[in-house]
Amino acid sequence: MPVLARVCSCVPASFSIAVATAVLLLAPFDATAISRRDRAAVEALGQRMEAAEASYREAMVAIGNADPDGAARANAALEDMEDVMAACVEQRGCAVPSLLTTYERLLKLNADAEAGDGGLADDGMGPDHAMPLDHAMPHEVPQAARAAALLADDRHAFDRMVQYNPAVQEGIRRWLTDMRDDFITSYRNYQYLRPQMWPQYERAGLPEALLFGIMAKESNGRVHSTSRAGAAGPMQFMYATGQRFGLGDDGTGFDTRYDPYAASEASVAYLNERMRELNRSIELALAAYNGGEGRARRILQQNPGKSFWSEDVYRQFPPETRDYVPMVIAAAWLFLHPREYGLSLPDVDPKAAKLQLQQPASIYQLTICLGNRGTDIGYMRALRNLNPRYRADDRLPAGTTLDATRRIVGLYQRYCVEGPRAELARTLVASDPGAAIVRGAGVVAAAPAAVGAAAPASRPRQYRVQRGETLTSIARKFQCDTGELARANGIKAPRYMIKPGQALELTGCR
């Protein structure tokens, strides 16, 4: 079931009630002022919405009859409605409220169907008489649906929590003051990660705002984030917990806790499991996420039926967890309502594209030659987040395909293949700080070699790894390919683990 998404000035690919609600705040059009062409366009949109609604209702009947094509037809109908809503926002004179009523009615129909009512009862009760969402969720409904209901405007529980809970209000204040940069960084990073992370939450019926809130508090959307306690990745799973939900070494040396898709999938499974055992409380599920599921279970068993905010429960969690829960909720709220708080979010163009390297390069090198057109911070974090298997200084061979965006691919073709900026980037990443040291008393340093000058003809065939060095930095020092050097020494990709004192054969090095 579609769930709430962020409020923004643009229409996202997956339109939502939150966006439409924001549009309702706009001044209505004067119907007499629009042209005949506009009126015709508005009527056409209305007809498209009616057709999509009819298709959706037919699909719901098919689903009720176990027709395997029912789900696909329902999804197609919802996509049609979302397209109509998006077009309505752009169309002069289009009455968004009337279309929004249809959209909300069908979401209610879907919720009632999931609750077991089927939504198309034989008692003659139409959708306007559907059971309220509060009462349409018996015990058998998946716990994820309850989490979605918490953030749904129909239920208003989330509104009340934010409006009257001082702890959440303090969280909002912190995100808007000393942690504003962290919030904006989290938002920017999430826009690049959204195609990989959001689908898992969407399929489970979990709110996107909840995903963002957890990710913002856990890692600020930095895929390679690792805590001192050993939690890792964008959702900060501990190793043992991650293993329970399918995360860990994938056999190549890569820890999938750093994979945004896998981490999001594990997060969904974890939250659903916690919701089932913690009295369907989103706050207790978040407390378990941060403070440990064993502690959360024990506290609930000692205080059956009590909420996270009950003093008997609240005081048993450590200060970090008492801070964590309202901060996640506050971040989720701001994700949904940035304009109300004067929060201007960066305009990110995350359209996905594949970047195939035409010559060897590292992410560091790409960051230099790409520049920062279209963003104030450049593209290193975006490239690292989209390609978690590679370290920033890994020298990737020509032909390597990286996940990127259309903008990054365009900048690469313009600035990174050839030209002065491409050459400058290659020179900077190949620089060896050790070459700046003058060895031998009284020796006058020679003039620096010109860019592009030939490297010394002789190089040692074997090299001892020094403390702080990586295989990639050694490959740069001796001008060889990291992958070839790894294969020659039996070192597994992609992490290329080496240790001080290890002897390396410099096969293929100049």
Side-chain angles (χ1 to χ4, degrees), residues 274-297:
R274 299 287 74 72
M275 291 287 287
R276 282 195 298 271
E277 69 180 15
L278 295 173
N279 200 28
R280 301 168 299 278
S281 166
I282 193 89
E283 300 101 313
L284 287 175
L286 290 173
Y289 201 108
N290 175 262
E293 58 203 72
R295 175 190 278 118
R297 279 195 300 267

Side-chain angles (χ1 to χ4, degrees), residues 151-167:
L151 301 186
D153 284 342
D154 284 345
R155 187 163 170 170
H156 295 297
F158 194 50
D159 291 24
R160 290 197 300 270
M161 182 190 303
V162 172
Q163 185 175 0
Y164 299 114
N165 190 306

Side-chain angles (χ1 to χ4, degrees), residues 12 132 140 151 200 275 315 322 446 495:
E140 293 76 14
L151 301 186
Q200 288 75 263
M275 291 287 287
R315 295 297 179 189
R322 298 200 298 262
R495 298 193 67 80

Side-chain angles (χ1 to χ4, degrees), residues 198-283:
W198 164 227
Q200 288 75 263
Y201 269 65
E202 184 177 32
R203 282 194 294 270
L206 285 167
E208 183 175 26
L210 181 62
L211 163 61
F212 174 79
I214 295 173
M215 186 211 68
K217 188 66 175 75
E218 292 286 0
S219 67
N220 290 154
R222 295 182 174 93
V223 163
H224 296 90
S225 178
T226 304
S227 75
R228 287 177 293 180
M235 305 304 279
Q236 290 289 282
F237 274 95
M238 297 294 289
Y239 190 78
T241 305
Q243 280 190 313
R244 284 176 43 212
F245 294 92
L247 302 178
D249 193 325
D250 66 354
T252 69
F254 176 68
D255 187 340
T256 56
R257 289 182 296 167
Y258 297 105
D259 183 301
Y261 183 95
S264 177
E265 193 170 51
S267 175
V268 166
Y270 184 90
L271 285 172
N272 278 337
E273 186 176 284
R274 299 287 74 72
M275 291 287 287
R276 282 195 298 271
E277 69 180 15
L278 295 173
N279 200 28
R280 301 168 299 278
S281 166
I282 193 89
E283 300 101 313

Side-chain angles (χ1 to χ4, degrees), residues 79 117 173 212 217 282 332 365 383 444:
E79 290 175 1
D117 290 345
R173 176 191 62 76
F212 174 79
K217 188 66 175 75
I282 193 89
Q365 182 176 327
L383 285 172
V444 178

